[in-house]
């Protein structure tokens, strides 16, 4: 019997791509590296993400992208550009419901094989200098409440990374040279949380 090679689809925006870091430092690739080190066989992650995408743009792209029929795992990290552009929370809620439905379908209808990540707080980065960081924090928290609620409702996993990203206000090593996106060091924190879930499910 041939060994099963696990597959992983990562959906999102610039954070999923790993904007301004090397490809192997992005959290989807670091996740796979951790799982391989744990003795699991994983193919390279497939990434459907683009810098600047909102939830509706991601949804639109998924509808017009040729993807595998199913994946062993799917992660979703989206919403920061909705908040940044001042788009409605109600529309985001609707988009997220669609995206989660699609993600679960792509995960072979196994809701517990879908992992939703909370939205990082870019208001704590130097890029946000001169803006109202307290207001950004509140808005990000509201978007994340929607993410967490939707994840629980659909019985998918929800990982909180927002507080980790807020440490960038004091620790600039967590940021890339653009002073907005996160370094491989921060992506490693996210990857470890995702890998823990995938590892336990892969061994069931």
């Amino acid at each position: 019997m041939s060994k099963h090679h696990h597959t992983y689809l990562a959906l999102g925006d610039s954070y999923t791509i790993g904007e301004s870091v090397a490809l192997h430092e992005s959290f989807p690739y670091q996740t796979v590296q951790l799982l391989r080190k744990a003795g699991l066989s994983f193919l390279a992650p497939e990434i459907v993400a683009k810098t600047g995408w909102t939830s509706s743009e991601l949804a639109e792209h998924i509808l017009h992208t040729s993807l595998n029929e199913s994946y062993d795992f799917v992660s979703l990290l989206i919403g920061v550009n909705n908040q940044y552009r001042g788009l409605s929370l109600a529309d985001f809620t609707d988009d997220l419901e669609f995206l989660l439905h699609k993600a679960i379908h792509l995960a072979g209808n196994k809701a517990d094989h879908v992992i939703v990540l909370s939205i990082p707080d870019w208001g704590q980065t130097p890029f946000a200098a001169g803006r109202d960081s307290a207001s950004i924090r509140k808005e990000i928290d509201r978007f994340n409440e929607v993410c967490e609620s939707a994840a629980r409702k659909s019985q998918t996993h929800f990982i909180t990374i927002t507080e980790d990203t807020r440490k960038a206000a004091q620790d600039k090593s967590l940021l890339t040279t653009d002073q907005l996106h996160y370094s491989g060091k921060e992506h490693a924190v996210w990857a470890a949380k995702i890998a823990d879930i995938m590892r336990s499910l892969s061994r069931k």
Side-chain angles (χ1 to χ4, degrees):
M1 189 173 167
S2 61
K3 188 176 183 182
H4 178 69
H5 298 289
H6 292 89
T7 52
Y8 166 31
L9 172 67
L11 305 172
D13 49 37
S14 60
Y15 298 134
T16 298
I17 292 172
E19 181 74 23
S20 300
V21 299
L23 187 64
H24 71 273
E25 287 188 302
S26 66
F27 78 78
Y29 274 81
Q30 289 204 56
T31 297
V32 165
Q33 288 161 18
L34 289 170
L35 292 163
R36 286 173 177 169
K37 283 177 188 171
L40 295 164
S41 179
F42 265 81
L43 298 176
E46 188 170 340
I47 297 173
V48 176
K50 189 173 181 180
T51 297
W53 270 358
T54 61
S55 53
S56 61
E57 287 165 335
L58 172 60
E60 182 71 20
H61 196 81
I62 289 171
L63 288 173
H64 299 97
T65 300
S66 179
L67 296 165
N68 292 350
E69 196 171 310
S70 69
Y71 298 81
D72 291 303
F73 298 99
V74 180
S75 68
L76 175 64
L77 170 49
I78 197 72
V80 72
N81 295 299
N82 294 66
Q83 183 277 325
Y84 181 74
R85 294 191 204 174
L87 303 180
S88 101
L89 204 57
D91 287 346
F92 176 68
T93 303
D94 290 342
D95 290 344
L96 198 62
E97 188 176 334
F98 168 81
L99 287 167
L100 279 170
H101 179 76
K102 193 71 181 168
I104 291 167
H105 175 72
L106 287 166
N109 293 315
K110 295 177 180 175
D112 65 334
H113 284 236
V114 174
I115 300 163
V116 179
L117 287 82
S118 70
I119 303 164
D121 185 356
W122 65 275
Q124 300 302 307
T125 69
F127 178 86
R131 297 174 188 257
D132 185 347
S133 61
S135 176
I136 294 167
R137 173 189 281 262
K138 283 180 189 170
E139 287 176 16
I140 293 284
D141 285 345
R142 279 199 288 271
F143 273 82
N144 279 328
E145 283 168 12
V146 169
C147 292
E148 184 170 12
S149 174
R152 293 196 190 290
K153 184 180 171 186
S154 59
Q155 298 183 303
T156 60
H157 292 274
F158 181 73
I159 292 177
T160 302
I161 61 170
T162 312
E163 288 308 317
D164 293 312
T165 67
R166 285 173 174 152
K167 293 173 185 173
Q170 283 76 43
D171 184 356
K172 297 300 181 282
S173 72
L174 301 180
L175 298 170
T176 63
T177 52
D178 70 7
Q179 299 293 285
L180 169 61
H181 293 98
Y182 299 94
S183 67
K185 181 178 175 181
E186 178 63 23
H187 276 262
V189 173
W190 312 348
K193 294 183 177 188
I194 299 168
D196 278 348
I197 292 171
M198 289 189 182
R199 191 184 300 115
S200 63
L201 288 169
S202 296
R203 290 190 166 141
K204 280 185 178 177

